[in-house]
Amino acid sequence: MGVPPAEGAGRVARVVLVDDHRMFRTGVRAEIGRTEATGIDVVGEADDVESAVRVVAETRPDVVLLDVHLPGGGGAEVLRRSAALMADPQGVRFLALSVSDAAEDVIGVIRGGARGYVTKTITGTDLVNAIFRISDGDAVFSPRLAGFVLDAFAATDTPPVDEDLDRLTQREREVLRLIARGYAYKEIAKQLFISVKTVESHVSAVLRKLQLSNRHELTRWATARRLV
Amino acid sequence: MAAPGTDPKPHVPDTPSAAGGDPASPAEGRPPYRRLYRSPHGRMLGGVAHGLAVHLGLPVTWVRAAFVLLFFAQGIGALLYAAFWFVVPIGIGEPAPGSAAHWAYVDGAFVPAAPGQSGSALRKGGPGRVARLRELLQRTFQGEPALPAAAAPPAQEGAAAPAERDGAGKQGLGQLAALVMLVIGIMALLNALNIQTAKPYTWPLLAIGVGVALVWRQADDSRWQRWFGLEEGERRRGAYTRVGAGVLLVVAGIIGFLILQGTGSTIGSVIEASIAVLAGVLVLVGPYALRMWQDLGAERTARIRAQERAEIAAHVHDSVLHTLTLIQRRAEDPKEVLRLARAQERELRLWLYRPEAAAEDAPDTLAERIREVVAEVEDRHGVPVELVCVGDCPMDERISAQMRAAREAMVNAAKYGGGGPVQVYAEVEGRTVSVFVRDHGPGFDPDEVPEDRMGVRESIVGRMKRNGGTARVRPAPDGGTEVELEMERADD
């Protein structure tokens, strides 16, 4: 499968792969790791929480592709222990890459500080684009993640007494819905007559709210769906 | 479960006339040999008579009659019954209520009874009057628990007190009443026979006996509960009361016994000594008992784990391994391989991440239904369909129509969408259900579709309109087509 150069051609993103399946890491590396073609330089790999924390601290990559299920505590644990590296605005950013369909897994890593979530069925091209978008400080939402978020906020939105911070604006909701419908950011911009930058800022706002939304709300949401 | 007394048939399987019209279970040849268990179904007291009847292949009425007769022979019947009750465990996997009646005595042999046969063959054992009397008694017992003491001739009916033991709540009360009746009956009999004056220890012994019976019966019940998963919290309190009452009775009996023996004056020191002995035994045995208890728990956990593992292994074997074998065999046909892999992935994913949804019997909700539709389209057309579903609601007529329209839209997208993934988004918001189906194909202008092409016009737009919804087909901003289906849920 040929992967065309990403939008930010000429730049190189340094990436660490964290996944406990060697086959999968090998596959991803083969797909995106041809630096001259894709602009992605795979600088490290790790297969559990311990090694992931170490490798990320040593190599300081732009983006970490992080599996949700990992021996030693899972992706959320890696995020917790790498919190210091993320604080810096030019710091390491995490993109969750998961085969899991369970909302609590995904929402868990997003709340832990991951900047996006894509499923393992993603194509090489899309993955390369997502990595560059993350390294630019943007958030990446797959349709499925948008669905989870809408679900989460649909449950917490009903009582209007909630803090404003925890709720989505009409516009953010529209953007999420379009993502869930399979629209690319560019298409969303066209559809809503706004710029791509605005779409990106809406998505980032949603991500921030998701990470900030208080634990109580999320627990209630998860309980209502018998997830916990 | 039917209310007790309203329909005696399922509750009184062993009553001949009531079972007369029973449809017989399919004949299975000779009655299978079975171990002696007390029967939890259709039992009156401890299930001894019923269990014995099933074990021996006799009509239960005969066994009961034998016990009653033996009772008059110096109370041997009661002793025997009590002994059985104590020693024989209650059975699991009992034949369902009713099966006992299906073995009929014909020409000196027991055969599975045909519907007509069971009535005539067993009618000898007990005429319809008995059944009616039993039904009446049952009503009396379960409807007005205060009455029975006055209404029933204690001694005889007590031994065969017709309380049902098929469910929780009222029946438990009925059975307790039966137990009390039994005691009253025996006491009345003893009084009548003037045994009491001869043996002054009868009363304390009786109290001890009843107390022990209460506690034992409780142990029985808790086992029962584990097997059949009756609601726990509700019954726990009743259990404590029963055990408490039992212990109290035993203690009272022992004290009475001691007083009668003339050790009443030294009772204080006797109790002290008993407590000292008990404490000593506890100190010696306690640690062992505790460790045994812990080992038991650990073993149970290990067993549950092993079971779980076995189940996972079985599932993986049934699904994943078979598919992998199929894929190896069809390696030359990439389309088929893709289809198999996709179907298997979906199935396994559902099983792994939605265990409770997979376990339920196809719940009739929008999310489940649309997942089915997506799976079907994926399999049939070999195009990946990505589904995102927000919210859920029960299915109704209108939404079914919407699902059919959505299916058609997905099929179109799969056929003409250029082979890329089809994206489906379903959302329930208040009473509105929206479904979006989008492809990344070349796109088309709905106005240019010739009149004779009915797919979009009839199956999607027309169907939605007929059912009170709307459908819009429009080109997506960057190529491809999007179909939007909107429907109000029907009123509940």
Side-chain angles (χ1 to χ4, degrees):
Chain A
M1 204 182 298
V3 179
E7 288 151 23
R11 291 190 308 131
V12 170
R14 300 171 68 246
V15 171
V16 165
L17 301 177
V18 180
D19 195 295
D20 52 332
H21 298 103
R22 203 169 55 82
M23 285 281 278
F24 183 75
R25 290 200 307 272
T26 312
V28 172
R29 194 192 263 275
E31 186 98 335
I32 67 169
R34 290 164 286 115
T35 314
E36 47 311 327
T38 59
I40 292 203
D41 180 14
V42 179
V43 295
E45 290 184 16
D47 62 358
D48 62 4
V49 171
E50 284 300 323
S51 59
V53 172
R54 205 186 52 242
V55 169
V56 170
E58 274 168 11
T59 57
R60 301 257 175 169
D62 299 314
V63 176
V64 179
L65 282 183
L66 182 66
D67 190 14
V68 175
H69 292 285
L70 276 180
E77 179 67 15
V78 177
L79 287 160
R80 203 179 58 75
R81 289 170 58 181
S82 309
L85 295 175
M86 285 191 281
D88 177 10
Q90 296 305 314
V92 181
R93 298 200 173 90
F94 289 82
L95 172 60
L97 178 60
S98 172
V99 77
S100 164
D101 269 0
E104 77 267 37
D105 286 348
V106 177
I107 301 263
V109 286
I110 295 293
R111 285 179 53 83
R115 304 283 298 171
Y117 158 80
V118 291
T119 46
K120 283 184 175 173
T121 50
I122 193 172
T123 62
T125 320
D126 288 346
L127 184 57
V128 168
N129 282 335
I131 288 170
F132 274 105
R133 228 190 277 157
I134 292 272
S135 81
D136 285 346
D138 193 12
V140 171
F141 273 48
S142 69
R144 198 179 285 279
L145 178 57
F148 290 156
V149 174
L150 281 171
D151 232 0
F153 280 98
T156 58
D157 250 10
T158 21
V161 286
D162 284 348
E163 305 157 59
D164 281 341
L165 186 68
D166 282 347
R167 299 164 64 210
L168 299 182
T169 64
Q170 197 54 42
R171 231 336 143 34
E172 286 162 0
R173 204 171 261 280
E174 267 173 80
V175 169
L176 275 188
R177 207 169 276 146
L178 286 169
I179 293 176
R181 277 157 65 179
Y183 281 53
Y185 285 15
K186 224 165 30 173
E187 292 176 298
I188 296 171
K190 244 184 226 173
Q191 179 87 10
L192 299 178
F193 303 108
I194 53 179
S195 73
V196 175
K197 270 270 158 277
T198 316
V199 175
E200 286 171 1
S201 75
H202 281 311
V203 170
S204 292
V206 170
L207 190 77
R208 200 182 62 242
K209 287 181 186 185
L210 189 62
Q211 287 166 351
L212 288 179
S213 70
N214 63 59
R215 190 162 287 280
H216 169 71
E217 295 291 335
L218 201 78
T219 312
R220 207 177 60 195
W221 168 72
T223 315
R225 278 163 185 71
R226 292 188 292 165
L227 295 177
V228 288
Chain B
M1 194 172 294
T6 53
D7 177 15
K9 207 158 68 178
H11 295 283
V12 198
D14 41 354
T15 304
S17 58
D22 251 359
S25 57
E28 299 153 355
R30 300 289 305 168
Y33 170 78
R34 39 163 301 147
R35 292 187 53 189
L36 177 58
Y37 284 118
R38 288 192 288 117
S39 163
H41 298 293
R43 66 174 179 172
M44 288 181 169
L45 207 57
V48 171
H50 202 269
L52 265 177
V54 178
H55 177 64
L56 299 173
L58 292 168
V60 70
T61 326
W62 296 10
V63 180
R64 288 196 173 129
F67 271 120
V68 172
L69 281 178
L70 278 172
F71 178 75
F72 287 108
Q74 301 264 320
I76 286 174
L79 275 180
L80 216 62
Y81 193 96
F84 270 119
W85 194 352
F86 270 55
V87 173
V88 177
I90 199 151
I92 27 167
E94 280 298 311
S99 55
H102 298 142
W103 296 98
Y105 186 74
V106 176
D107 297 333
F110 285 92
V111 296
Q117 240 176 356
S118 83
S120 61
L122 287 173
R123 193 154 286 156
K124 288 182 257 170
R129 244 162 32 116
V130 173
R132 252 178 284 131
L133 182 65
R134 277 184 53 150
E135 195 186 332
L136 183 83
L137 277 167
Q138 244 168 298
R139 271 197 205 133
T140 318
F141 269 102
Q142 282 143 15
E144 299 129 5
L147 260 180
Q156 213 184 347
E157 288 304 326
E164 284 302 323
R165 199 65 195 87
D166 260 354
K170 244 191 203 172
Q171 272 114 350
L173 205 70
Q175 214 190 12
L176 206 66
L179 203 70
V180 171
M181 290 288 301
L182 178 69
V183 175
I184 293 173
I186 291 172
M187 285 174 181
L189 193 78
L190 291 176
N191 266 334
L193 297 179
N194 263 345
I195 290 174
Q196 208 200 337
T197 46
K199 291 180 184 160
Y201 301 132
T202 311
W203 281 103
L205 279 178
L206 212 63
I208 293 171
V210 172
V212 170
L214 264 176
V215 174
W216 273 64
R217 231 189 61 72
Q218 185 49 51
D220 232 32
D221 264 15
S222 48
R223 267 158 75 195
W224 221 42
Q225 206 170 307
R226 262 216 313 281
W227 289 328
F228 295 101
L230 297 176
E231 55 275 84
E232 212 156 287
E234 200 178 300
R235 303 198 106 219
R236 184 159 289 165
R237 238 186 20 204
Y240 284 142
T241 346
R242 262 197 226 158
V243 171
V247 169
L248 216 72
L249 270 172
V250 171
V251 169
I254 290 172
I255 290 174
F257 195 73
L258 291 175
I259 290 172
L260 281 173
Q261 270 207 324
T263 49
S265 49
T266 55
I267 189 136
S269 49
V270 168
I271 288 176
E272 261 173 42
S274 316
I275 289 175
V277 169
L278 261 178
V281 168
L282 216 67
V283 166
L284 283 177
V285 176
Y288 286 102
L290 195 70
R291 189 173 313 151
M292 212 149 87
W293 181 259
Q294 281 166 346
D295 285 354
L296 218 71
E299 195 196 299
R300 186 181 295 158
T301 327
R303 205 174 44 236
I304 290 171
R305 280 220 191 94
Q307 257 171 23
E308 193 104 312
R309 229 186 102 74
E311 196 180 320
I312 290 173
H315 186 90
V316 168
H317 175 263
D318 289 350
S319 55
V320 182
L321 287 185
H322 277 272
T323 310
L324 286 177
T325 316
L326 266 178
I327 284 176
Q328 283 176 36
R329 214 172 288 156
R330 305 222 178 165
E332 294 79 36
D333 184 357
K335 226 173 168 175
E336 181 66 7
V337 167
L338 265 180
R339 192 189 67 77
L340 283 168
R342 205 174 289 125
Q344 189 50 61
E345 186 205 335
R346 189 174 44 243
E347 198 261 345
L348 192 64
R349 203 182 270 283
L350 191 78
W351 190 75
L352 281 176
Y353 297 117
R354 267 181 276 270
E356 73 278 330
E360 282 166 29
D361 291 330
D364 259 341
T365 67
L366 171 73
E368 291 299 320
R369 179 75 193 114
I370 199 162
R371 219 168 270 140
E372 269 174 38
V373 172
V374 163
E376 209 184 302
V377 173
E378 250 189 357
D379 282 350
R380 189 157 306 167
H381 298 277
V383 172
V385 181
E386 288 168 10
L387 171 70
V388 175
C389 193
V390 171
D392 203 357
C393 68
M395 292 293 289
D396 60 43
E397 282 285 304
R398 291 168 165 211
I399 298 178
S400 302
Q402 189 184 21
M403 287 303 107
R404 285 194 291 276
R407 187 183 187 287
E408 191 63 30
M410 286 180 223
V411 169
N412 276 343
K415 275 188 188 158
Y416 309 115
V422 175
Q423 264 147 341
V424 179
Y425 175 64
E427 184 183 44
V428 182
E429 204 180 28
R431 304 208 60 79
T432 314
V433 178
S434 329
V435 178
F436 297 86
V437 179
R438 135 152 233 202
D439 64 58
H440 294 266
F444 77 109
D445 184 351
D447 296 332
E448 284 174 16
V449 177
E451 288 293 320
D452 60 330
R453 295 295 298 272
M454 303 300 273
V456 172
R457 196 165 291 123
E458 272 312 301
S459 294
I460 301 177
V461 181
R463 178 178 278 145
M464 289 300 285
K465 240 181 228 156
R466 279 197 299 280
N467 288 280
T470 54
R472 274 186 293 272
V473 182
R474 56 160 173 259
D478 258 16
T481 308
E482 188 173 50
V483 179
E484 179 183 350
L485 309 168
E486 211 173 281
M487 185 71 86
E488 291 286 312
R489 286 165 60 192
D491 298 320
D492 303 308

